[in-house]
Tab-separated table of all heavy atoms in Angstrom:
chain	number	residue	atom	x	y	z
A	208	SER	N	163.468	-105.505	12.515
A	208	SER	CA	162.138	-105.951	12.098
A	208	SER	C	161.131	-104.811	12.067
A	208	SER	O	160.093	-104.878	11.461
A	208	SER	CB	161.628	-107.038	13.057
A	208	SER	OG	161.543	-106.562	14.386
A	237	CYS	N	161.963	-61.839	-0.926
A	237	CYS	CA	161.439	-61.042	-2.055
A	237	CYS	C	162.301	-61.245	-3.319
A	237	CYS	O	162.310	-60.400	-4.203
A	237	CYS	CB	161.412	-59.568	-1.654
A	237	CYS	SG	160.216	-59.195	-0.360
A	282	GLN	N	173.653	-38.456	1.012
A	282	GLN	CA	174.848	-38.440	0.193
A	282	GLN	C	175.004	-39.743	-0.600
A	282	GLN	O	175.416	-39.743	-1.762
A	282	GLN	CB	176.080	-38.209	1.085
A	282	GLN	CG	176.136	-36.819	1.708
A	282	GLN	CD	177.170	-36.679	2.786
A	282	GLN	OE1	177.828	-37.672	3.171
A	282	GLN	NE2	177.354	-35.489	3.296
A	295	VAL	N	167.694	-49.756	7.334
A	295	VAL	CA	168.269	-49.398	8.616
A	295	VAL	C	167.474	-50.110	9.689
A	295	VAL	O	166.230	-50.016	9.742
A	295	VAL	CB	168.236	-47.870	8.850
A	295	VAL	CG1	168.833	-47.522	10.206
A	295	VAL	CG2	168.965	-47.153	7.729
A	313	TYR	N	164.591	-36.069	-0.776
A	313	TYR	CA	165.424	-36.255	-1.947
A	313	TYR	C	164.585	-36.339	-3.234
A	313	TYR	O	164.950	-35.832	-4.267
A	313	TYR	CB	166.263	-37.524	-1.800
A	313	TYR	CG	167.271	-37.707	-2.900
A	313	TYR	CD1	168.549	-37.132	-2.793
A	313	TYR	CD2	166.991	-38.427	-4.053
A	313	TYR	CE1	169.466	-37.270	-3.804
A	313	TYR	CE2	167.880	-38.552	-5.068
A	313	TYR	CZ	169.139	-37.973	-4.932
A	313	TYR	OH	170.064	-38.134	-5.940
A	316	VAL	N	161.964	-41.386	-4.262
A	316	VAL	CA	162.532	-42.464	-3.444
A	316	VAL	C	161.368	-43.147	-2.680
A	316	VAL	O	160.511	-42.456	-2.115
A	316	VAL	CB	163.573	-41.969	-2.434
A	316	VAL	CG1	164.111	-43.120	-1.622
A	316	VAL	CG2	164.697	-41.251	-3.143
A	327	ASP	N	157.964	-57.294	6.353
A	327	ASP	CA	157.799	-58.061	5.154
A	327	ASP	C	157.045	-57.321	4.067
A	327	ASP	O	157.474	-57.269	2.890
A	327	ASP	CB	157.099	-59.401	5.444
A	327	ASP	CG	157.997	-60.339	6.256
A	327	ASP	OD1	159.208	-60.104	6.287
A	327	ASP	OD2	157.440	-61.280	6.856
A	340	ALA	N	165.414	-46.902	-2.643
A	340	ALA	CA	164.483	-47.147	-1.511
A	340	ALA	C	165.270	-47.021	-0.192
A	340	ALA	O	166.431	-47.386	-0.137
A	340	ALA	CB	163.860	-48.523	-1.627
A	346	ALA	N	162.732	-52.331	16.388
A	346	ALA	CA	162.200	-53.341	17.306
A	346	ALA	C	161.071	-52.723	18.075
A	346	ALA	O	161.110	-51.558	18.471
A	346	ALA	CB	163.304	-53.850	18.206
A	375	ALA	N	150.207	-42.991	6.273
A	375	ALA	CA	150.616	-43.346	7.621
A	375	ALA	C	149.583	-44.250	8.245
A	375	ALA	O	148.389	-44.170	7.962
A	375	ALA	CB	150.799	-42.091	8.477
A	426	VAL	N	162.183	-21.382	-0.110
A	426	VAL	CA	163.221	-20.433	0.344
A	426	VAL	C	163.163	-20.393	1.876
A	426	VAL	O	162.109	-20.365	2.478
A	426	VAL	CB	163.019	-19.021	-0.233
A	426	VAL	CG1	161.656	-18.480	0.030
A	426	VAL	CG2	164.104	-18.069	0.279
A	447	GLN	N	157.686	-10.594	1.163
A	447	GLN	CA	157.652	-10.236	-0.270
A	447	GLN	C	157.655	-11.488	-1.127
A	447	GLN	O	157.031	-11.558	-2.163
A	447	GLN	CB	158.841	-9.354	-0.607
A	447	GLN	CG	158.708	-8.678	-1.986
A	447	GLN	CD	157.531	-7.726	-2.014
A	447	GLN	OE1	157.443	-6.783	-1.237
A	447	GLN	NE2	156.617	-7.957	-2.954
A	479	LEU	N	170.256	-15.169	4.160
A	479	LEU	CA	170.795	-14.909	5.495
A	479	LEU	C	170.913	-13.415	5.745
A	479	LEU	O	171.631	-12.701	4.984
A	479	LEU	CB	172.160	-15.572	5.651
A	479	LEU	CG	172.142	-17.072	5.439
A	479	LEU	CD1	173.404	-17.523	4.704
A	479	LEU	CD2	172.089	-17.786	6.783
A	489	PHE	N	179.038	-12.387	16.254
A	489	PHE	CA	177.690	-12.797	15.842
A	489	PHE	C	176.727	-12.474	16.964
A	489	PHE	O	177.073	-12.449	18.147
A	489	PHE	CB	177.641	-14.326	15.602
A	489	PHE	CG	178.114	-14.729	14.237
A	489	PHE	CD1	179.461	-14.917	13.989
A	489	PHE	CD2	177.186	-14.879	13.188
A	489	PHE	CE1	179.908	-15.279	12.708
A	489	PHE	CE2	177.625	-15.259	11.921
A	489	PHE	CZ	178.978	-15.456	11.699
A	510	ALA	N	178.561	-31.311	0.044
A	510	ALA	CA	177.151	-31.712	0.134
A	510	ALA	C	176.195	-30.605	-0.199
A	510	ALA	O	174.991	-30.788	-0.209
A	510	ALA	CB	176.857	-32.241	1.525
A	524	SER	N	180.137	1.247	9.914
A	524	SER	CA	181.510	1.367	9.446
A	524	SER	C	182.337	2.323	10.283
A	524	SER	O	183.566	2.413	10.141
A	524	SER	CB	181.521	1.839	7.968
A	524	SER	OG	180.899	3.098	7.842
A	606	GLU	N	164.523	-3.962	23.795
A	606	GLU	CA	164.691	-4.451	25.154
A	606	GLU	C	164.385	-5.966	25.274
A	606	GLU	O	165.090	-6.700	25.952
A	606	GLU	CB	163.810	-3.658	26.140
A	606	GLU	CG	164.236	-2.225	26.289
A	606	GLU	CD	165.704	-2.088	26.681
A	606	GLU	OE1	166.178	-2.847	27.558
A	606	GLU	OE2	166.403	-1.253	26.100
A	615	LEU	N	174.052	-8.486	26.726
A	615	LEU	CA	175.079	-7.990	27.648
A	615	LEU	C	175.994	-9.140	27.982
A	615	LEU	O	175.731	-9.964	28.854
A	615	LEU	CB	174.456	-7.409	28.910
A	615	LEU	CG	175.442	-6.745	29.893
A	615	LEU	CD1	176.186	-5.612	29.265
A	615	LEU	CD2	174.720	-6.343	31.169
Side-chain angles (χ1 to χ4, degrees):
S208 61
C237 294
Q282 292 169 354
V295 180
Y313 187 88
V316 180
D327 291 342
V426 55
Q447 194 64 57
L479 301 141
F489 277 85
S524 61
E606 293 306 316
L615 184 60

